[in-house]
Amino acid sequence: MPMTRRPTSRDVAQAAGVSQSTVSLVLGGKWPGRVSPATARTVRRAAERLGYRPNLAARNLRLGTTRTVLLVVPTPSSTFFGSVYTGAAEVAARHGFGVVVYPWPDDTGPGDASAQGGPFASPREAIDGVLASSLAVEVLKEFRDTPAVMLDNDPAGATPTVAFAVADGMRALAAHLGALGHRRFGHVAAAVDQWTFHERGGALAAAVAALPGGGLVRATSAIDVAAAKEAAGRLLDRPDRPTVLVCDDDLMAAGAYKAARARGLEIPRDLSVTGFDDDVLATALEPELTTVRLPARRLGAEGMTALLELLDGRTPEPRSLPAELVVRASTAPPRR
Amino acid sequence: MPMTRRPTSRDVAQAAGVSQSTVSLVLGGKWPGRVSPATARTVRRAAERLGYRPNLAARNLRLGTTRTVLLVVPTPSSTFFGSVYTGAAEVAARHGFGVVVYPWPDDTGPGDASAQGGPFASPREAIDGVLASSLAVEVLKEFRDTPAVMLDNDPAGATPTVAFAVADGMRALAAHLGALGHRRFGHVAAAVDQWTFHERGGALAAAVAALPGGGLVRATSAIDVAAAKEAAGRLLDRPDRPTVLVCDDDLMAAGAYKAARARGLEIPRDLSVTGFDDDVLATALEPELTTVRLPARRLGAEGMTALLELLDGRTPEPRSLPAELVVRASTAPPRR
DNA sequence: CTGAAAGCGCTTACAG
DNA sequence: CTGAAAGCGCTTACAG
């Protein structure tokens, strides 16, 4: 056996003086009662000595399953998706599945030359299912006829979905602000064509319209500190300056903070600001940010549970996860 | 052909009235000159109609290669690793390779119950190589005898490595602070047993020792805003309070900001603070953070280049990437 | 308790 | 221009 070739189960069999099927039985843990303990030991020793590792492509082909799932996330990954992964991987591990992440280039983040050219080479990997997070439905075209679950997307679509109740969260936020006395709202909206942002915008508009004397102005920007600062600045420079800036993302709220400071406005005395997500950034900022917490880890966990049901031939129930208002120090009654 | 089974190239062949090998030739793009255009068209139509997609496990087994690489990153993923991925994926795509991410649970981030149990189920996927980012060498045990390149790790190790010149960066930072007049340094150090942090600590200690009258105190913490705030607080409460807090990470610098504010210290007037990485956070903070920029995207790109050389049978040169000082508004001369 | 054999679905020489 | 066949390295009935 030349050194250059990676050892196969056949090599191990030869070294141990048994048949290749015995090797497979032993290393697959299916030997008790079928192979003598002595033989099993010999086989394991030989495998160890040769540094044998099974060829996964062969196993996958034979079994017709890989027990691994692809988690597709937007490329400019935030800590949010780390949590989504953790939740998904925990559930998967309990069922003997692995999870691998495939970043999908999107135009959500700061302008990125590479992101223009569409997706990178897709993985040449055999996978059993796809979990597509916070992305356009077109992702699924890439993995068509692979069982898939969408995360944080329109539950009304054809694909099983686990969504956040973002509209609820936005309504709770608007109620909080309304109770503080705010009437002139500014919406620093993400310029991203995704269900979750449409939901947020719609819910905010409806809530403000329902408020006696309520008014809403909007500026859109990329999910990016500098762009959000710019957009927030446009709102703050209006003659009828809003008393609160509702931002579609914690990162955008950081931009709003900077726009306010640049104009000598103190938060929350002169201006209230809110975010969305409850990222680490929310408590890194000063004052700490009032925001809507999206339970990222649960999103991953519930998404994986739904996907495993789907792989099991069942039809997962649509799931909705609570979006909870977290009041911190960036909101206060408007200055009169 | 029952509806339940996924179509194979054999099904396509039957539908098109040709042999299975012809199907393979046509769909693999190797038909010109070997199959008539008319037949090729028929085959493609049949494949389209049946919704045929090749079985990747079979292809991988047959070819003995998957042309996909695993990028292993620490689980509590920051935006940093998004950039590493982008760089790696760009280079990979130019060579017909795909990249898939495998988050490795570590104890770097905030305490996470799930992270205690060691790695999640590893991917059952056949891969050609591994790019292991900012992680302990033990990661490689999991993928032993798979060609691997380490990122941001000790270049003196056995595995080919692409490292940042973090010691250079730290020295530049210390020189900047020394020139401003700082002598009493506090180091808010990451309690993480990794080469990159040992380098930072060593370089800082040496630079301060070389400064006439220089003194250094240190507190360690997890890479986490709350923990870093606590550690920074311990330093600030000392009778010989440092005039500058050098933090091992931008996120930790955010904690130092909070500790300073809690004590009524204004940055940079009463206290200078520095970070490391130049994450989005660095410019989200107020005042904007003086830090050391680590070119994450280049790390991914150079790492992939090295890995492709390795897969090609060559021995990659050790590579070192510059770590550049970025002076912003959080550093100033110490108050006298 | 052990082995010989089939077969997962591809790609690619090889023969015609 | 087209097809029959080998073989990648496994797992798992099946026979002994």
Side-chain angles (χ1 to χ4, degrees), chain A residues 80-99:
Chain A
F80 181 84
F81 295 102
S83 299
V84 173
Y85 171 80
T86 301
E90 281 172 352
V91 171
R94 285 203 290 277
H95 294 79
F97 274 73
V99 180

Side-chain angles (χ1 to χ4, degrees), chain A residues 8-24:
Chain A
T8 69
S9 61
R10 183 155 251 109
D11 297 320
V12 177
Q14 188 164 19
V18 298
S19 76
Q20 186 265 333
S21 27
T22 300
V23 171
S24 186

Side-chain angles (χ1 to χ4, degrees), chain A residues 90 96 101 114 125-126 258 283, chain B residues 90 101 114 124-126 258 283:
Chain A
E90 281 172 352
V101 180
S114 79
E125 283 308 315
K258 296 177 94 78
T283 51
Chain B
E90 281 172 353
V101 179
S114 78
R124 306 299 188 306
E125 283 308 316
K258 297 178 92 79
T283 49

Side-chain angles (χ1 to χ4, degrees), chain B residues 2-336:
Chain B
M3 287 294 288
T4 50
R5 192 168 56 75
R6 179 174 160 169
T8 69
S9 60
R10 183 153 253 110
D11 297 321
V12 176
Q14 190 163 18
V18 298
S19 76
Q20 185 267 333
S21 27
T22 300
V23 172
S24 185
L25 248 22
V26 171
L27 300 181
K30 307 202 167 164
W31 63 273
R34 316 228 255 143
V35 174
S36 75
T39 307
R41 211 175 320 114
T42 315
V43 168
R44 266 197 298 260
R45 286 233 183 89
E48 174 81 11
R49 189 157 46 78
L50 296 182
Y52 169 74
R53 315 214 79 190
N55 178 318
L56 295 178
R59 170 184 292 170
N60 292 342
L61 172 58
R62 172 63 228 228
L63 295 178
T65 169
T66 55
R67 293 190 90 77
T68 112
V69 159
L70 207 62
L71 173 65
V72 187
V73 303
T75 298
S77 289
S78 64
T79 56
F80 181 82
F81 295 102
S83 300
V84 174
Y85 171 79
T86 302
E90 281 172 353
V91 172
R94 284 204 290 276
H95 294 79
F97 274 73
V99 180
V100 131
V101 179
Y102 178 54
W104 184 273
D106 69 356
D107 45 11
T108 284
D112 181 315
S114 78
Q116 315 310 333
F120 301 120
S122 16
R124 306 299 188 306
E125 283 308 316
I127 48 162
D128 290 345
V130 170
L131 228 41
S133 185
S134 314
L135 286 159
V137 187
E138 71 202 32
V139 171
L140 296 182
K141 285 187 199 140
E142 184 76 18
F143 301 99
R144 108 183 92 103
D145 72 28
T146 300
V149 168
M150 300 286 280
L151 303 180
D152 191 19
N153 218 303
D154 190 353
T159 312
T161 299
V162 179
F164 291 125
V166 286
D168 284 355
M170 191 55 103
R171 277 189 287 269
L173 187 59
H176 162 67
L177 295 168
L180 287 173
H182 290 278
R183 291 299 177 270
R184 292 201 306 283
F185 287 68
H187 184 194
V188 183
V192 175
D193 182 21
Q194 272 175 21
W195 174 83
T196 190
F197 295 115
H198 297 180
E199 279 290 290
R200 298 175 197 189
L204 179 62
V208 172
L211 217 52
L216 176 68
V217 289
R218 174 175 299 181
T220 63
S221 91
I223 300 178
D224 172 23
V225 175
K229 176 182 179 186
E230 221 272 320
R234 289 201 302 276
L235 260 21
L236 294 179
D237 290 340
R238 295 175 62 108
D240 58 336
R241 181 164 75 209
T243 58
V244 57
L245 255 26
V246 175
C247 305
D248 263 351
D249 187 281
D250 292 346
L251 197 62
M252 300 175 78
Y257 273 45
K258 297 178 92 79
R261 283 220 180 77
R263 286 160 182 78
L265 300 172
E266 190 184 309
I267 300 168
R269 195 194 55 183
D270 307 317
L271 177 75
S272 288
V273 174
T274 66
F276 224 94
D277 277 11
D278 198 23
D279 195 87
V280 280
L281 189 61
T283 49
L285 291 175
E286 200 76 37
E288 296 195 351
L289 185 66
T290 293
T291 189
V292 174
R293 176 176 301 157
L294 301 183
R297 189 162 170 161
R298 275 196 63 193
L299 186 72
E302 297 277 346
M304 182 57 69
T305 303
L307 183 55
L308 290 171
E309 287 176 12
L310 199 62
L311 291 174
D312 201 36
R314 286 174 285 159
T315 304
E317 292 292 309
R319 289 165 159 82
S320 182
L321 266 28
E324 181 198 356
L325 173 65
V326 180
V327 176
R328 295 205 181 90
S330 67
T331 46
R335 205 174 180 185
R336 8 205 64 247

